[in-house]
Each structure stands twice: as structure tokens, then as C-alpha cells.
Amino acid sequence: MNNFNLRKNVKFSVVSFFINIALIFISYRLIIEVGGLELVGLWATMMAWISLVRLGDVGMSNATLRFVALENIENSDGRLAIGKIIDTALLLNSIFFILLCVLAYFLINLFMIDTIEETYRGLADKLLPLMLGIFFSINISSVLFGCIQGMHYGYVSSKISVMTTSIQLILVIILVPKYELHGFAIAQIFQYLSAIIISWIFINKKLHRKIQIPIYFDFESLKKMLRFSAKAQAANIINGSFEPLSKILINKFSGLEIQGIYELAYKTVSMSRNAITAGVMASLPTITTLLGKDPGEGKILYKKIKMKLRLAAFSLILLLIISSPLISYLWIGSFNSLYCTFIIIIGCGFFFNTIGAPAYNLGTASAKMKYNIIINLLVITLLILLTLALNLMTSTYSVVTSVGISLAFGGILIRYMNEKYIIGNIS
């Protein structure tokens, strides 16, 4: 396992997420100061719409990580194969996301802007091109990070993330007080463009080739990546739709202020949780390689990850619930009982969801994603049906309660099914 830089990858990945938590905290605090919770709600709602564009994503990020991890960067043939993989993935992703962003611009303007409170529609219309630019940049940088992680240099992608996130933080402090959400958007675009440039330079250096534009489109690489990504992306798109769908439901049944409180509560729990599951994600290239070459060792690593994550998740969620009144004062500027209640509900859901994260990763690492797809569909269906049922009793808590129950259900079920389906077949 030491040959895969596993400890460094996990450590730096966790540090990177804590830096991101600090960024989100400071950014939203400034936005609340200059424009109130409604601006946070507007940002969350628009990002939820834009995130649905991922329905057209062909999944090159995960495919890149997987197939790069199976190549040996220490020899020339391996480097050549990796070069073909990353160039093909970048070219395909760039074309797809340009088309998707153009389509999203017209569809959101036609059908969704009118669902925003009238006071904020003009601002939403002006923000839309910038937010689509952020979305495009994120998806290009994710392919490059996938390549770096697949080469077992995940700690380098984390260092790049920390560096560029720090740049964004400085720009947020400068721009948000004057330009509000426009300043927040510009800071994010600058961060991801910087990450793209730095990552591309690093990849070319490791592949022993001059810095160049990605021109080596390879149909063989494309075919094998698409075969994998068809399954992986089906699971990821459904899974990635959970958060934006919950925000769309909040927008339907509540106003922008409730949306803002929900966004803060969800981010408090999910970002903190992601800081510990970052270690799980950082181990994905190693698990992928071991399951292909030494399944017994892969099983041992999985069990170690599962035990450590369970303790970390319990400690983290308990700390968040206890400290939620203090976080409310620091973030919102006063004690907000609704925020604290949302933390408890979402936190309990994420605890059970988190202990299922290593099992979910097993599906991606082994390319056996049947239950990843099925269970994600069940979770989305449960979220919608529970919301409609609970809304008859309480509109304020219907979506949030449904979110907590659905998250817990998904985590428990994926752990049981994937351990039985994948780990149970490893001797």
C-alpha cells in the first residue's frame, strides 16, 4: 500500500477539505452580511438547477481515475497510455460541457427564472452566465484531478486544491463586500481556471512530454472508458441529483430565507462529513488497483477504512449537533433554532450515510455498480414520496426530514448489499 502514496493521499485530501470548509464559511458569512440569507438561498437554488445539467455528463472524471490507476507510470508504455486517456477525456468533456452549458442557459431562462421571487429575478439572470462558467471549469478540473489521483499522486491534487482555494478566499474577501454574488462567482472561476493550468502542467511533467494542448484523441481509450462510465455515471448522476433536488423541493414549498437556512445547515454537515470521507475517496485508486491485482489485500484495506470511518463519523456528527448554536451565532449572526434543528435532522441522516461510503466506493473500484445505481434510485424516490407525504403535515420540515431519512436509508442499504455482493466473494 505504501507504493501508492496512500497515507499522503489521505492526509492531504482531508486537509484540503478543511480548507474548503473555511472558504465556504467565510464566503457565506460575507454574503449574509451584505445581502442576507436570501442571497444564500438564491445561490443555492441556481446551483441546484445548474447541477441538473450533469444529466448529460458522460463520466470522464471517474473513468480517467480508474483507467489511469491501472497503468504503470514508471514505464514509457504506461505513460503513453495515460497520455491518450487524459487527452481523450479532456477533449470529450470540453465539447460536451460547452454544449450542455449553452443548452442550460436557454432552458433555465425559459422555464426556471420565473420561479424565483420577483425581487431577485434580475440578479439571477445576470448571474447565470458566470455560474455556468463555474460549472464548466469545475468539470474540466475534475478530469485533471482524476488523472493525478489515478497516478497515485492524490496528495498533489490536494495541494493544488489548497493553493487555489486560498486564492479564491483572498478574492472573496476583496470582491464579495463590493460585488456580492458577482464577486463570489468571479472568485470561483479564477480558482478553477488556476487549478486547470497547474494540474495540466504537472500531468505533462509526469508524462515526460512538453506542455501541449490535448490533441491525441484515441478511440480505443474512449471505448473502454465509456463502457465503464456508462455504469459509473448512472450511479453518480442519480447520487449527485439528491442535493439539488432537495433544494428544488425546498424552493417549491418554502421561500428563499428557508432555502438559505437549509443551504447553511446542509453545507455545515455535508462539508464536514466530506472532510472525513475525503480519506475514503483518496483511497479509491489504491482500492481499484488492489481489487484488480491482490483482492485479499484490498479486503483488508476496506475493513480498516470502514472501522476508522465509523468512529470519525460518530464523533463529528455529535460535535456538530452540540456546537450548532455557536455555529449559528458565528455564521448567521444570531441563534437560529431552525438552523440547529436542521443540523440535527441532516446530521443523523449523514451519520448512517457516511458509514456506507466505503461500500459505495467498492462498487466504483470493482466496476460492480448494480446496487450503487438501484439504491440511489430508491433514495431519490423515497425523498420525493416522503416530502409529498410529510408536506401535508408540515411544510417547513417536510423536505429536511425526508432528506435525513433518505440519506440514512441509502447508507445502511448500500453497505449491506455491496459487502454481500463484492466483499463476500473475495476469499
Side-chain angles (χ1 to χ4, degrees):
M1 297 179 194
N2 292 331
N3 293 336
F4 304 126
N5 297 314
L6 181 58
R7 292 184 186 278
K8 289 170 73 173
N9 291 342
V10 170
K11 180 176 70 175
F12 281 99
S13 185
V14 172
V15 170
S16 173
F17 263 96
F18 276 113
I19 297 293
N20 274 290
I21 291 171
L23 170 68
I24 292 294
F25 181 89
I26 293 171
S27 299
Y28 278 1
R29 185 71 186 95
L30 288 171
I31 290 169
I32 291 168
E33 281 187 1
V34 299
L37 283 166
E38 289 81 1
L39 285 189
V40 175
L42 176 63
W43 183 271
T45 300
M46 292 186 67
M47 270 302 179
W49 294 339
I50 292 169
S51 295
L52 295 180
V53 177
R54 291 188 69 239
L55 291 171
D57 187 0
V58 290
M60 285 296 103
S61 175
N62 283 325
T64 300
L65 187 155
R66 173 176 174 77
F67 288 103
V68 168
L70 297 175
E71 299 292 342
N72 185 0
I73 196 173
E74 299 301 324
N75 62 56
S76 58
D77 288 342
R79 290 192 294 270
L80 180 61
I82 292 171
K84 290 179 180 178
I85 290 168
I86 185 59
D87 283 8
T88 302
L90 273 179
L91 287 167
L92 190 66
N93 242 34
S94 298
I95 294 168
F96 258 82
F97 276 100
I98 288 172
L99 295 174
L100 288 172
C101 286
V102 171
L103 179 63
Y105 179 80
F106 289 107
L107 289 178
I108 291 173
N109 264 313
L110 281 173
F111 301 112
M112 297 180 182
I113 289 292
D114 289 344
T115 66
I116 291 287
E117 294 174 19
E118 191 172 351
T119 309
Y120 296 96
R121 286 178 193 169
L123 176 58
D125 188 54
K126 292 176 182 177
L127 277 172
L128 185 55
L130 287 173
M131 296 181 77
L132 287 168
I134 294 169
F135 186 72
F136 176 81
S137 303
I138 288 173
N139 283 282
I140 298 303
S141 64
S142 69
V143 173
L144 295 169
F145 280 178
C147 180
I148 294 173
Q149 290 159 6
M151 294 190 293
H152 303 290
Y153 287 102
Y155 68 93
V156 173
S157 66
S158 297
K159 286 181 178 180
I160 294 171
S161 180
V162 168
M163 184 191 313
T164 55
T165 299
S166 301
I167 292 171
Q168 186 197 148
L169 182 56
I170 294 169
L171 290 175
V172 161
I173 293 170
I174 295 171
L175 297 176
V176 167
K178 186 174 181 180
Y179 300 106
E180 299 182 353
L181 291 182
H182 285 88
F184 189 36
I186 291 168
Q188 288 197 44
I189 289 174
F190 195 90
Q191 175 196 354
Y192 291 113
L193 288 178
S194 301
I196 289 169
I197 293 169
I198 297 169
S199 299
W200 187 238
I201 292 171
F202 176 81
I203 289 169
N204 279 278
K205 181 180 178 182
K206 287 298 174 183
L207 295 180
H208 299 175
R209 65 183 190 179
K210 295 179 180 178
I211 308 301
Q212 59 183 32
I213 59 173
I215 58 174
Y216 294 107
F217 191 89
D218 182 65
F219 281 101
E220 286 302 314
S221 298
L222 177 64
K223 284 192 290 185
K224 68 181 182 181
M225 285 194 289
L226 286 179
R227 279 196 295 268
F228 168 79
S229 67
K231 295 181 291 183
Q233 201 57 12
N236 288 336
I237 286 173
I238 301 166
N239 186 40
S241 299
F242 183 87
E243 181 181 350
L245 178 59
S246 72
K247 292 173 184 176
I248 290 169
L249 290 170
I250 287 275
N251 186 55
K252 178 175 176 59
F253 296 117
S254 309
L256 284 179
E257 183 177 355
I258 298 297
Q259 178 76 281
I261 295 171
Y262 174 73
E263 169 74 358
L264 295 179
Y266 195 94
K267 279 286 188 285
T268 300
V269 181
S270 65
M271 290 291 289
S272 302
R273 176 257 195 183
N274 287 348
I276 57 173
T277 57
V280 180
M281 291 306 299
S283 69
L284 181 57
T286 306
I287 289 281
T288 300
T289 304
L290 289 177
L291 288 180
K293 298 178 179 179
D294 189 352
E297 192 73 11
K299 184 176 181 178
I300 292 170
L301 177 58
Y302 170 78
K303 289 181 176 179
K304 287 181 179 178
I305 291 169
K306 185 175 69 171
M307 287 189 297
K308 291 185 178 182
L309 186 64
R310 184 169 51 206
L311 177 60
F314 178 79
S315 304
L316 175 69
I317 299 302
L318 183 62
L319 177 62
L320 287 176
I321 291 172
I322 292 171
S323 60
S324 59
L326 175 61
I327 300 172
S328 175
Y329 274 109
L330 293 174
W331 213 353
I332 302 174
S334 62
F335 172 74
N336 189 299
S337 60
L338 201 57
Y339 169 82
C340 296
T341 305
F342 285 1
I343 288 286
I344 295 171
I345 298 170
I346 298 169
C348 291
F350 261 121
F351 168 72
F352 291 102
N353 187 267
T354 300
I355 60 177
Y360 187 91
N361 249 19
L362 275 179
T364 305
S366 64
K368 296 177 180 178
M369 288 169 285
K370 176 173 72 172
Y371 290 113
N372 289 33
I373 296 170
I374 293 171
I375 292 169
N376 280 332
L377 278 172
L378 290 174
V379 167
I380 290 290
T381 304
L382 183 63
L383 171 64
I384 296 171
L385 293 178
L386 272 177
T387 298
L388 294 176
L390 293 174
N391 191 60
L392 298 174
M393 295 178 283
T394 168
S395 59
T396 302
Y397 295 99
S398 61
V399 180
V400 183
T401 304
S402 302
V403 165
I405 295 171
S406 301
L407 285 169
F409 168 79
I412 293 168
L413 193 57
I414 195 68
R415 179 177 176 180
Y416 174 77
M417 297 307 298
N418 269 3
E419 285 189 356
K420 182 180 177 182
Y421 179 51
I422 300 169
I423 289 295
N425 292 322
I426 296 176
S427 58

